[in-house]
Amino acid sequence: MVAESAKAFEALEAQARALLDLFARAGYEPVAPAIIQPAGVFLDQVGEQVRSRTYVFTDLAGEELCLRPDLTVPVSRLYLERHPDAGAQARYCYNGPAFRFQPLGPSATHPREFRQAGIECFGAPDKESADVEVLLLAVEAVKSAGLREYWLRFGDIALFYALIDALQLPERWRLKLRHYFWRPPVFHALLARLAKGERPDSDGLAGALAEKLAGETQEAAEETVAAYLDRKGIPLAGNRSLREIATRLLDHAADLRAAPLPKEVATVIDYYLAVSAAPREATEKIAMIAKGAGLDIDPGLDAVLRRFDRLERDGIDLTRATFATEFGRKLEYYSGLVFQVEAAGLDENEPVAGGGRYDNLLAALGAPRDVPAVGSAIHTERLLAAVEKVSP
């Protein structure tokens, strides 16, 4: 058993060295960001699905920290340390561990500690070319490791945002639908409730407190919530800040008084999010839905089509690919293209590689402006298992 573990570790290390060599030859500088990161940075940016699986702890000085659940945010922070004005182009590559709680228990394809080898491209002004560059390099990387049978899954967050904007919804509905996009069951339940004009449950402590906050400013709401927690002796700890709690309660209060979402709008969104097909077929369906609803999302759709054209010219076989409008991966900092590489024997929730565009993340981390950014990470244990045809 010890010999087998040592052999597996050696194989994983050899694979990682080969991947980093490939990335370095492509112009990506190797970096090694810290494993321990400020918890607030991740809890604010990665989204609900990863937030709930992040290992958070408080050190002896009282600072809330976490074991990094991915490497994109740490590499982004490293970029800002080197370029505080966020005005430089940079390409970085890395290999190292990440950590996530596994609610169904750890397994070979879902370990608590796993390794990621990846690339991040910052500040490239030609977003389309950078998207294609990163995706092609991710595919080249898994192929160079020996993966032969694979499929590609694509999505595009920007196209969904274009649809929501074209529907001319009230701002709070747009923000709410954007926020829940990454959790399809919750999203569709919300959409159905909005269309029916159903009010959220106002019973219980949260509902009663939300009623009291109705019409208050953010600052006043935070004071009210702080006073309530103090009276009840409830400590402010864990994954939510006072500001976030107050914001959610204000949102809940607004929902209690909101007008229903027009049913035809909900129908268009449902039709759009049901599209999952080969890339060309999927874009044709999206164009038909938009035309039928009288919506102009041509700029976003044209960008998607140009990207597919370039990928095809560069050797990507789109007959082995799917474009799914509901696909957004699990990290909520994505803002445009998203993709993943899936291997035989592993399901959609066990990709060997994935990535996408995240133009808003750097500003959220403290950059003075939005920074064009796109990257990809390879789950090296899964890749090795797929190459060696090891059963999950």
Side-chain angles (χ1 to χ4, degrees):
M1 181 67 72
V2 174
E4 289 180 2
S5 297
K7 184 178 179 181
F9 177 77
E10 290 173 3
L12 196 61
E13 288 299 297
Q15 174 188 264
R17 286 194 297 272
L19 291 172
L20 284 179
D21 285 345
L22 173 64
F23 297 151
R25 291 196 302 272
Y28 287 75
E29 176 191 348
V31 295
I35 289 175
I36 296 177
Q37 296 279 323
V41 169
F42 278 94
L43 302 182
D44 288 342
Q45 303 304 323
V46 297
E48 199 68 35
Q49 294 189 64
V50 176
R51 175 206 297 263
S52 63
R53 297 168 56 196
T54 300
Y55 288 102
V56 178
F57 61 95
T58 303
D59 70 6
L60 295 177
E63 185 176 359
E64 198 169 42
L65 304 168
C66 71
L67 298 177
R68 62 189 186 197
D70 91 323
L71 275 87
T72 295
V73 174
V75 174
S76 297
R77 294 184 67 236
L78 186 149
Y79 168 82
L80 287 177
E81 288 173 8
R82 295 185 177 184
H83 309 286
D85 64 350
Q89 292 190 45
R91 286 170 168 79
Y92 300 139
C93 64
Y94 56 82
N95 173 62
F99 308 83
R100 293 183 195 174
F101 171 71
Q102 303 297 344
L104 299 180
S107 67
T109 53
H110 292 281
R112 294 188 184 98
E113 178 181 343
F114 56 95
R115 300 190 76 80
Q116 286 186 342
I119 52 176
E120 310 294 344
C121 173
F122 299 107
D126 186 344
K127 296 182 182 182
E128 186 178 296
S129 294
D131 286 351
V132 171
E133 173 191 314
V134 166
L135 200 151
L136 289 174
L137 189 52
V139 171
E140 182 183 355
V142 297
K143 288 172 65 176
S144 71
L147 188 65
R148 296 291 174 262
E149 291 293 317
Y150 66 88
W151 295 264
L152 289 168
R153 185 177 302 275
F154 296 101
D156 197 299
I157 311 301
L159 190 59
F160 172 71
Y161 288 174
L163 178 85
I164 295 298
D165 290 343
L167 287 168
Q168 297 183 338
L169 298 171
E171 178 66 11
R172 64 180 316 276
W173 284 153
R174 286 206 302 272
L175 293 174
K176 188 177 285 289
L177 293 171
R178 286 185 177 200
H179 177 70
Y180 287 105
F181 171 81
W182 279 270
R183 284 165 278 167
V186 178
F187 180 96
H188 288 290
L190 170 68
L191 191 63
R193 179 171 65 76
L194 295 180
K196 293 176 182 176
E198 295 177 356
R199 299 292 186 267
D201 185 8
S202 61
D203 295 333
L205 293 176
L209 188 53
E211 288 275 15
K212 292 181 180 179
L213 298 181
E216 288 193 3
T217 64
Q218 178 72 36
E219 292 73 17
E222 289 178 26
E223 291 178 4
T224 301
V225 172
Y228 175 84
L229 295 176
D230 185 57
R231 285 198 309 275
K232 298 294 183 180
I234 302 173
L236 187 63
N239 289 354
R240 303 211 184 279
S241 66
L242 177 63
R243 182 173 183 80
E244 187 173 9
I245 293 170
T247 298
R248 289 191 172 221
L249 288 169
L250 285 171
D251 187 59
H252 187 69
D255 281 353
L256 294 173
R257 292 162 174 76
L261 187 73
K263 290 183 179 179
E264 59 271 20
V265 170
T267 300
V268 171
I269 296 172
D270 275 330
Y271 283 168
Y272 173 84
L273 291 177
V275 175
S276 179
R280 304 295 183 191
E281 180 185 349
T283 53
E284 290 174 1
K285 288 182 177 180
I286 294 168
M288 289 178 61
I289 292 169
K291 183 178 180 180
L295 304 177
D296 180 10
I297 59 170
D298 288 349
L301 198 54
D302 289 344
V304 171
L305 288 167
R306 285 196 308 272
R307 188 191 301 130
F308 285 139
D309 288 340
R310 292 184 61 166
L311 290 172
E312 229 170 11
R313 288 198 301 269
D314 286 320
I316 296 295
D317 182 3
L318 292 183
T319 65
R320 299 178 64 80
T322 298
F323 183 82
T325 49
E326 199 166 56
F327 173 61
R329 307 198 77 232
K330 294 180 179 179
L331 294 158
E332 296 183 18
Y333 49 64
Y334 287 121
S335 61
L337 163 73
V338 286
F339 68 90
Q340 66 185 31
V341 183
E342 302 168 6
L346 300 175
D347 68 25
E348 176 186 338
N349 296 313
E350 299 170 331
V352 297
R357 174 160 291 279
Y358 51 96
D359 290 347
N360 306 321
L361 177 60
L362 275 293
L365 296 178
R369 66 185 69 84
D370 285 341
V371 180
V374 59
S376 177
I378 297 170
H379 194 306
T380 53
E381 286 99 341
R382 287 181 192 157
L383 176 59
L384 186 63
V387 169
E388 296 183 346
K389 300 187 187 304
V390 175
S391 177

